[in-house]
Amino acid sequence: MAESAAKIDYAERIPNNVSLAENRRLLRALEEWQPRFLRWWGDMGPEGYQAKEAYLRTAVSVDAQGWAHFDWVKMPDYRWGIFVAEPEPDRRIHFGAHKGSPAWQDVPGEYRGTLRRLIVTQGDTEPASVEQQRHLGRTCPSLYDLRNLFQVNVEEGRHLWAMVYLLHAHFGRDGREEAEALLQRRSGDPDRPRILGAFNERTPDWLSFYMFTYFTDRDGKYQLCALAESGFDPLARTCRFMLTEEAHHMFVGETGIGRIVQRTCDLMREHRADDPGDVRRLGGIDLPMLQRYLNFHYSVSLDLFGSEISTNAANSYTGGLKGRFEEGKKADDHLLTDASYPVTELDGGRIVTREEPALTSLNERLRDDYIMDCQRGVDRWNAIIRKAGLDVELRLPHRGFHRAIGMFSEARVSPEGRVVSQAEWDAKKGAWLPTEADAAYVGSLMKPVIAPGTFANWIAAPARGINGKPVDFQYVRLD
Ligand SMILES: [Fe+2]
Ligand SMILES: [Fe+2]
């Protein structure tokens, strides 16, 4: 584990800690991809602020001290690069049929197609979210939030670099073609959409943005955690470093929603506004509306984990390509050939739990880990509501609610987990999911607030600023 492995040479055109300079062919290929990436960033990155300086963090090395360095930068000048976590000496594959063998440094021929698909699917989400969020800067609720948006955006751009590096370094011509295609698809474009459904939804307002970073970036965390266990070591190390950046994205979501909840509770208490209509007259986002947005973003994020029963998931595990969440901490045989796992299923008109083979249930198991993690934030939001003395609770809807993938896509399920008729669904849908009127109302709140230390009326100030700076710091220089 040479010290030098963690050092990043910022004099390079592409900052990296993967000794790019020693691999001329790869370096040249990536240097050719770089201007195309920058063109994509110019076309599809944050609109309107490319020439402004923002207070952003970037990695100057990947060890604990060096990976978060803050400075002023114009986004197109951000030093996107290739950073991977330190190698573990003598790392072994620790699950599946190859358990105990040395981790692969090169792609094993038999898994080439599967690995490429896993990397492309992950890679596609990164530029997609930048595209989804590109108009939000115009309506920022504060400079603090604007800066956080840009931080998320540049890091998703870097995550694209991370996946493109793997494609170029390990998948030859196919990999280069996939790297091009990642810049060609567009979120929400009917002719060339992004691969996964949630990444083609619109993120038209900041409420949707916070919900997205809380729920959808968290799906990313769980996918990255599963890939960080991979027997293909370059993928594992790449994902481990990406996870350090991902944590901030979910922080933005959790605290963003928490601050909206706080502001709504303050309005309700100060003005004795118990009714959602009263809260809206005061310019706040009422809690039932928050619940509807939560229902939507949670359910589309649940879909990202795939079908409950999946032979693809079983094969990726047995092949040693994608592990479970915290695979290394689990005390079982890491083969799962004889194990079972309880899966919530649809049985005609009823919802039941059945023991299924653990291997084919791996998507569901990862979804369970995700659900538990989502609940923690909901508990913290509810603590804010309770502290305000209000008798309301936000809830995660049932996993079968509003699903488009997996067995629940065949039924209509209420947020409480009751299979309902189409007629009941149609009658109650407006109470369960955001309506056009909700979207129009939230849209009407989206006015830019750009004086340092001031915040839109619908959201509370954060408890503290970024990197020890005060809340009223000028996080983006707009002059
Ligand atoms: Fe990402
Ligand atoms: Fe993210």
Side-chain angles (χ1 to χ4, degrees):
M1 276 211 333
E3 281 277 293
S4 60
K7 269 209 97 57
I8 292 169
D9 187 352
Y10 264 78
E12 299 274 347
R13 231 169 96 185
I14 302 171
N16 72 89
N17 70 340
V18 294
S19 308
L20 255 193
E22 287 161 31
N23 187 339
R24 305 305 299 176
R25 264 185 64 172
L26 177 58
L27 176 64
R28 221 171 317 122
L30 287 167
E31 282 181 350
E32 272 173 39
W33 187 80
Q34 188 176 41
R36 293 200 279 279
F37 167 82
L38 288 170
R39 215 170 305 136
W40 167 82
W41 179 267
D43 290 346
M44 297 311 293
E47 191 196 46
Y49 296 91
Q50 300 278 358
K52 307 293 182 196
E53 290 188 322
Y55 185 69
L56 297 178
R57 81 172 169 192
T58 190
V60 289
S61 71
V62 294
D63 58 24
Q65 293 81 38
W67 80 269
H69 170 82
F70 288 77
D71 213 341
W72 293 100
V73 62
K74 293 177 185 161
M75 282 181 281
D77 301 334
Y78 186 81
R79 302 304 312 276
W80 284 285
I82 298 161
F83 313 130
V84 303
E86 294 283 324
E88 267 172 51
D90 189 36
R91 182 163 180 262
R92 306 255 148 190
I93 300 170
H94 60 302
F95 59 93
H98 307 282
K99 195 179 116 187
S101 308
W104 300 299
Q105 299 306 322
D106 296 303
V107 178
E110 57 181 314
Y111 299 129
R112 204 180 155 82
T114 310
L115 270 173
R116 194 182 69 197
R117 183 178 52 78
L118 288 171
I119 291 167
V120 167
T121 307
Q122 178 61 42
D124 193 66
T125 66
E126 316 290 358
S129 64
V130 174
E131 292 166 358
Q132 288 169 293
Q133 295 161 15
R134 69 181 302 248
H135 301 295
L136 291 173
R138 299 258 183 228
T139 58
C140 64
S142 74
L143 286 184
Y144 165 90
D145 290 282
L146 186 63
R147 177 258 165 226
N148 285 347
L149 168 71
F150 294 161
Q151 184 70 59
V152 171
N153 292 160
V154 292
E155 285 175 351
E156 301 303 6
R158 207 207 65 73
H159 291 177
L160 172 60
W161 270 93
M163 294 296 118
V164 162
Y165 161 69
L166 293 173
L167 289 169
H168 271 270
H170 297 281
F171 293 87
R173 192 197 163 131
D174 297 350
R176 290 194 293 279
E177 282 170 8
E178 294 284 14
E180 286 310 305
L182 285 168
L183 295 177
Q184 301 304 322
R185 287 185 287 272
R186 291 286 181 272
S187 176
D189 186 324
D191 297 325
R192 39 174 191 166
R194 292 293 174 184
I195 296 170
L196 299 171
F199 292 88
N200 288 303
E201 299 285 349
R202 292 179 64 235
T203 309
D205 55 63
W206 281 76
L207 175 56
S208 301
F209 171 65
Y210 298 127
M211 291 287 177
F212 185 97
T213 43
Y214 186 77
F215 289 110
T216 309
D217 279 90
R218 191 173 311 275
D219 156 71
K221 167 185 164 182
Y222 280 82
Q223 301 302 335
L224 292 176
C225 282
L227 294 173
E229 306 284 343
S230 184
F232 178 46
D233 201 46
L235 176 61
R237 290 171 61 197
T238 297
C239 290
R240 258 189 290 145
F241 184 74
M242 289 164 78
L243 280 164
T244 57
E245 294 164 320
E246 204 61 54
H248 174 70
H249 308 179
M250 290 173 289
F251 160 86
V252 169
E254 184 184 327
T255 55
I257 298 168
R259 288 160 54 209
I260 296 175
V261 170
Q262 182 67 60
R263 179 63 184 150
T264 301
C265 291
D266 291 347
L267 287 171
M268 289 173 74
R269 269 169 38 127
E270 278 166 36
H271 302 271
R272 299 180 182 279
D274 293 332
D275 184 72
D278 294 339
V279 174
R280 268 173 263 165
R281 269 186 291 280
L282 295 163
I285 298 175
D286 58 274
L287 296 176
M289 191 185 297
L290 261 178
Q291 179 69 60
R292 290 193 288 279
Y293 274 78
L294 183 162
N295 290 351
F296 175 77
H297 287 271
Y298 175 66
S299 57
V300 299
S301 302
L302 285 182
D303 274 339
L304 293 169
F305 291 84
S307 295
E308 291 82 0
I309 305 297
S310 162
T311 49
N312 272 349
N315 292 339
S316 293
Y317 185 84
T318 301
L321 310 178
K322 183 176 175 183
R324 287 171 291 176
F325 177 62
E326 299 189 326
E327 181 73 43
K329 293 188 188 166
K330 297 203 190 303
D332 54 26
D333 66 1
H334 303 275
L335 301 172
L336 306 180
T337 36
D338 301 318
S340 67
Y341 189 79
V343 176
T344 308
E345 299 181 359
L346 192 63
D347 181 4
R350 292 182 322 136
I351 292 172
V352 297
T353 303
R354 272 202 204 102
E355 289 292 321
E356 294 285 354
L359 272 178
T360 44
S361 310
L362 284 164
N363 283 345
E364 194 62 10
R365 185 188 290 238
L366 195 59
R367 188 162 23 233
D368 282 338
D369 290 320
Y370 168 83
I371 290 172
M372 272 193 298
D373 198 12
C374 286
Q375 183 61 48
R376 282 192 273 271
V378 175
D379 292 343
R380 282 190 280 265
W381 302 329
N382 283 331
I384 297 172
I385 301 174
R386 259 199 320 278
K387 213 169 151 202
L390 297 165
D391 188 23
V392 185
E393 218 176 43
L394 296 170
R395 286 206 184 104
L396 294 178
H398 186 271
R399 74 179 68 213
F401 172 77
H402 188 236
R403 291 286 301 281
I405 292 195
M407 56 184 95
F408 291 106
S409 63
E410 293 153 27
R412 294 300 192 186
V413 178
S414 74
E416 300 76 33
R418 202 164 40 81
V419 179
V420 300
S421 67
Q422 184 66 39
E424 184 175 354
W425 175 268
D426 291 339
K428 296 194 175 150
K429 194 178 148 202
W432 293 341
L433 288 166
T435 62
E436 272 174 41
D438 290 343
Y441 175 72
V442 174
S444 77
L445 298 179
M446 298 296 123
K447 307 255 166 60
V449 176
I450 52 170
T454 60
F455 292 83
N457 177 55
W458 49 269
I459 190 166
R464 58 191 68 82
I466 292 292
N467 192 36
K469 298 286 184 218
V471 168
D472 62 1
F473 186 67
Q474 190 173 15
Y475 287 100
V476 184
R477 291 172 173 160
L478 293 181
D479 24 53

